[in-house]
Amino acid sequence: LAVLDAYGTQVANSAAAGVAAEGFKVLLVGDFGYQTPLAQTVSASMASYAGEHGVDIVLGVGDNVYWNGASDDRDPPGWSGSSADIDRWTTWAWEELWYTGALRKPWYFVLGNHDWRTNPQLELQYAAKNKDWTIDMYIASGSSIFWYVKRFAPSGFNIDIFFIDTSIWKVEPVKSG
């Protein structure tokens, strides 16, 4: 495990964490749902690390679509205050920036507060279009599931990763008039 800061500088490593170098390798990224110069730097650093050290999976820990989540409208992504058309966004921000080169691995996601601003169901549906986009939550009136667990079994041991969407507990303050 390597921990990189926003500029790609390694700030911790697997030896410090007590993890064997040949173990299960995971990269984690959050608040990444937009193309910016800083996002390009982080993506390039992650791809470089993944290419050099190998990576098994990538975790997207929320805010996958900026600024206001996914929609099914035709607005181009990246406009401040607008939601991103899911088909254009997944090509523009995820496939062209993050899901490239050594990062072309299985990705597992949870939703973040930005993802909830419009239609998070669209992010769940994108999984049918790309086998490496996994977000196994279910959103429906009265029967939603906001967490899931995946078991990985590398080298004879099990790793259970729990994906929990904590945005559902965020309460927006009521504005008084």
Side-chain angles (χ1 to χ4, degrees):
L1 172 68
V3 178
L4 306 177
D5 67 14
Y7 300 98
T9 304
Q10 186 169 330
V11 294
N13 61 39
S14 59
V19 177
E22 65 277 356
F24 191 67
K25 296 181 181 173
V26 177
L27 286 176
L28 181 138
V29 64
D31 295 285
F32 67 100
Y34 195 68
Q35 272 207 31
T36 63
L38 185 54
Q40 292 168 350
T41 300
V42 173
S43 174
S45 295
M46 287 176 61
S48 174
Y49 182 87
E52 185 177 333
H53 301 283
V55 168
D56 296 295
I57 64 171
V58 182
L59 306 181
V61 296
D63 293 347
N64 311 317
V65 181
Y66 268 113
W67 290 105
N68 289 319
S71 74
D72 53 6
D73 63 26
R74 292 285 119 193
D75 289 340
W79 292 95
S80 179
S82 71
S83 55
D85 168 66
I86 190 67
D87 293 324
R88 291 183 186 179
W89 178 87
T90 51
T91 299
W92 174 78
W94 188 62
E95 292 175 4
E96 292 178 3
L97 179 61
W98 295 98
Y99 185 63
T100 61
L103 296 178
R104 207 164 179 79
K105 301 285 182 180
W107 285 60
Y108 297 87
F109 296 91
V110 294
L111 298 172
N113 65 313
H114 286 267
D115 302 306
W116 277 99
R117 291 185 178 168
T118 50
N119 187 356
Q121 189 70 41
L122 294 171
E123 289 186 54
L124 278 62
Q125 292 168 355
Y126 179 70
K129 296 180 182 180
N130 188 311
K131 67 176 180 55
D132 284 335
W133 176 285
T134 300
I135 183 168
D136 285 341
M137 294 190 292
Y138 176 76
I139 302 169
S141 179
S143 61
S144 300
I145 298 171
F146 299 101
W147 69 277
Y148 64 102
V149 63
K150 288 291 182 186
R151 173 167 283 176
F152 303 92
S155 305
F157 61 94
N158 292 333
I159 298 173
D160 292 334
I161 300 178
F162 289 80
F163 299 84
I164 303 169
D165 182 352
T166 59
S167 295
I168 62 168
W169 294 302
K170 180 179 172 159
V171 178
E172 294 292 332
V174 176
K175 295 181 181 179
S176 59

